[in-house]
Amino acid sequence: MARELHETAAIEEKVILVAVEPDERNSRSAMETEACLDELEELVRTAGAVAVARSVQKRERIHPGHYLGKGKIEELKMMVEAYGASGVVCDDELSPAQLKNLEKMLETKVMDRTIVILDIFAGRAISGEGKIQVELAQLKYRLSRLTGMGASMSRLGGGIGTRGPGEKKLETDRRYIKDRIAELNSAAKEIQTHRELLRNQRGRMGSPVVSLVGYTNAGKSTLINKLTDAGVLAEDKLFATLDTTTRKVQLPNGSEILLTDTVGFIQKLPHHLVQAFRATLEELKYADILLHVVDASNPNRQEQMQVVYKTLEDLGCGDTPVITIFNKMDKEVELPLPIDTRAREIVQVSAFKGHGLEEMLGTVENLLKSFRKSLVALVPYTEGGLLGWVHGRCEIIREEHTAEGVLLEVYVDEESANRLEKYKQ
């Protein structure tokens, strides 16, 4: 089947989207295929091209040699000529053989979902850390496909798939790539060490860490901007921001949390990218609470939530407490909202309009409070460092200055309780 899409003028690169839809004995339905292609179209748009048509083949399984059947490839070749397309984009990650054979048979540039995502990341990486991580992912991907990318690498002159290390040296050989990967791995280890130092420093400061997670374009950047004036780029595009942002946020009771935002998730997030960004994504493992931001207006919100939870499991964050934030409630939202048994609490907000944010912060405050216990301690005035720790880390219920010292009733975590144990009343 083929479906024509609207054409957009003045766009440099036109591509045709291609997918294989397994037969009815498999779990992936026609609706799921269309949803994946809708997302792929958005990825292509974010990468700076336009999808002019779609082609879907129903097969029992993907062809191991050239992805599609030969008859479908002939049909696709005619579509490329008819639409004046400069390439095709497949919804699945292609093997080196599939990539090489498809390009030879279609006589045009062939890309897969992974290439498009890596290209977007290359264009969005701003910090030195982000650039290192993206280049590392790109080179690992290219290394595994050198035998199948000869024609593609020699012919690319622009468009999707040419950003990052590819345009520096397309003819680069295996040895160069391996040497460069070793250099980047060394730099990535330094990043990881630096992050550990920052984590330890934050631990000494004592503020709880709350991390924003969610599907890309769910509104995380808008949310952190509304709460902190962080100035994070917030666009209606996939992967608008890559770099981790951490800001202080004051809760209703006056205590502070550190709110962090990182890269959004997506279906079929390339494993090379997950590996390269592991140092960044591992920040989630050290969060006290995860705020799972969901685009409530998206018709595929249930599937997107499942992708997020699967990714969190893969990162070792499956046991971290979650508050689900159904965002964009100011838009047209289908009710009832999905049931989320994984979440401790559920809050509805509009980050764009600022609705529901106070309730959200109150929910965070209450959940943090449930992790703690109440304790009364009499701290001598000579223990100035400990008093500073209590004021920076604990929620003070009552404070009274006496002749012997400061009488405190506080909510404490385990570490604070241990420090105050000898002064407990």
Side-chain angles (χ1 to χ4, degrees), residues 61-303:
R61 61 180 62 87
I62 290 172
H63 193 288
H66 33 75
Y67 187 63
L68 303 168
K70 291 184 178 179
K72 193 66 175 179
I73 291 175
E74 287 299 318
E75 178 188 318
L76 184 58
K77 187 175 180 180
M78 290 188 288
M79 289 178 65
V80 170
E81 294 176 359
Y83 286 99
S86 57
V88 302
V89 182
C90 301
D91 189 47
D92 298 285
E93 186 169 305
L94 302 179
S95 69
Q98 289 170 334
L99 186 65
K100 182 178 180 180
N101 292 334
L102 263 182
E103 288 203 326
K104 183 177 180 181
M105 298 168 78
L106 291 171
E107 298 179 349
T108 191
K109 180 168 69 172
V110 175
M111 297 159 283
D112 60 15
R113 174 184 274 255
T114 298
I115 290 177
V116 177
I117 293 175
L118 289 175
D119 186 79
I120 294 170
F121 271 59
R124 294 298 175 94
I126 297 174
S127 69
E129 175 184 347
K131 289 176 181 178
I132 287 172
Q133 291 170 321
V134 171
E135 184 177 355
L136 187 57
Q138 286 184 314
L139 288 177
K140 285 183 176 179
Y141 177 84
R142 291 182 184 275
L143 180 62
S144 67
R145 284 161 172 74
L146 271 183
T147 56
M149 294 187 70
S152 171
M153 292 178 78
S154 65
R155 187 169 62 249
L156 287 177
I160 302 175
T162 62
R163 280 184 275 258
E167 63 186 6
K168 294 177 185 176
K169 192 176 183 185
L170 294 174
E171 73 283 0
T172 189
D173 59 15
R174 193 179 301 272
R175 180 181 301 174
Y176 170 83
I177 291 181
K178 286 184 175 179
D179 289 345
R180 181 61 179 154
I181 286 175
E183 292 176 14
L184 293 171
N185 277 329
S186 178
K189 286 181 180 178
E190 291 183 12
I191 291 171
Q192 190 167 8
T193 301
H194 178 64
R195 285 198 171 278
E196 288 173 357
L197 291 172
L198 287 177
R199 266 198 305 271
N200 292 335
Q201 186 178 8
R202 289 202 299 261
R204 288 193 296 271
M205 291 170 58
S207 298
V209 177
V210 177
S211 290
L212 294 169
V213 299
Y215 210 79
T216 182
N217 207 28
K220 295 187 288 87
S221 296
T222 302
L223 182 59
I224 197 169
N225 283 340
K226 205 72 172 181
L227 291 171
T228 69
D229 296 322
V232 178
L233 176 66
E235 288 185 292
D236 187 20
K237 286 186 176 182
L238 305 184
F239 303 117
T241 53
L242 300 184
D243 297 312
T244 300
T245 302
T246 301
R247 295 289 187 272
K248 288 183 178 180
V249 174
Q250 192 173 67
L251 298 178
N253 64 5
S255 63
E256 288 185 337
I257 60 171
L258 292 175
L259 185 65
T260 67
D261 180 26
T262 188
V263 62
F265 302 150
I266 198 169
Q267 290 188 71
K268 307 175 188 175
L269 191 63
H271 68 278
H272 291 310
L273 205 55
V274 174
Q275 289 174 346
F277 274 76
R278 185 162 291 277
T280 301
L281 294 173
E282 277 187 346
E283 287 288 299
L284 302 176
K285 291 172 63 175
Y286 301 94
D288 297 287
I289 294 174
L290 298 177
L291 293 185
H292 177 193
V293 184
V294 180
D295 180 355
S297 67
N298 193 302
N300 300 312
R301 59 196 180 185
Q302 185 79 61
E303 291 77 13

Side-chain angles (χ1 to χ4, degrees), residues 374-388:
S374 176
L375 181 147
V376 177
L378 181 62
V379 182
Y381 292 111
T382 55
E383 294 288 345
L386 181 56
L387 288 169

